[in-house]
Amino acid sequence: PVFIKGEVENGKLLDMLDTIDVLICASRTETMSLAVMEGLMKGVAVIVSSEAGIARYINDGENGFLFQSENAENLREKISYCIKNREILIGIAEAGRNIYLEEFSLEAFEKRFIKLISEIR
């Protein structure tokens, strides 16, 4: 089944992510979606608008799904694909979690910060 939850308080979103298969960010423009990052962190497959800032980290069909911004038919196709191919979502979600670990985790930020500081010296 598909459930549309609408707006969710941030504190509740992390708990909700444990119960879902796919998180959709259909925003026409969004610099960097915290909800998508949290989905990646929790190992949830994501469908992201091509215009969202986080889209540059998503390889369609490998670590998440991209749809063309403002193209409702393309979004419908991605949702339908996820529903019909649920067995592949676990692998895609795991690959998405790796993106979180490599790019957005505290450890990743720490490594980049230390590298930046060492380059300044």
Side-chain angles (χ1 to χ4, degrees):
V2 175
F3 299 99
I4 299 174
K5 294 291 187 180
E7 190 173 331
V8 177
E9 294 175 30
N10 189 39
K12 293 180 180 179
L13 178 61
L14 288 176
D15 292 334
M16 185 183 290
L17 289 171
D18 292 330
T19 68
I20 66 173
D21 297 315
V22 179
L23 178 119
I24 301 170
C25 178
S27 178
R28 290 183 178 125
T29 59
E30 186 156 341
T31 53
M32 196 59 79
S33 172
L34 183 57
V36 173
M37 278 192 260
E38 290 171 339
L40 294 171
M41 176 184 73
K42 295 285 255 177
V44 174
V46 297
I47 300 175
V48 179
S49 162
S50 61
E51 295 301 312
I54 202 161
R56 71 183 199 175
Y57 298 96
I58 303 297
N59 294 317
D60 190 41
E62 293 178 24
N63 58 9
F65 299 94
L66 294 173
F67 73 95
Q68 185 180 25
S69 182
E70 297 195 35
N71 185 331
E73 177 59 23
N74 191 221
L75 175 56
R76 186 204 62 77
E77 290 168 357
K78 299 295 177 169
I79 294 169
S80 179
Y81 181 84
C82 289
I83 291 169
K84 291 176 182 174
N85 297 281
R86 293 180 63 144
E87 69 281 355
I88 68 161
L89 293 180
I90 292 172
I92 288 173
E94 287 175 2
R97 177 152 169 72
N98 288 335
I99 292 300
Y100 169 80
L101 293 172
E102 294 167 7
E103 299 293 337
F104 303 113
S105 68
L106 231 60
E107 292 80 10
F109 280 116
E110 179 182 5
K111 286 179 186 175
R112 283 196 297 276
F113 183 73
I114 290 170
K115 182 181 177 192
L116 182 64
I117 295 298
S118 68
E119 290 172 356
I120 292 173
R121 292 182 180 174

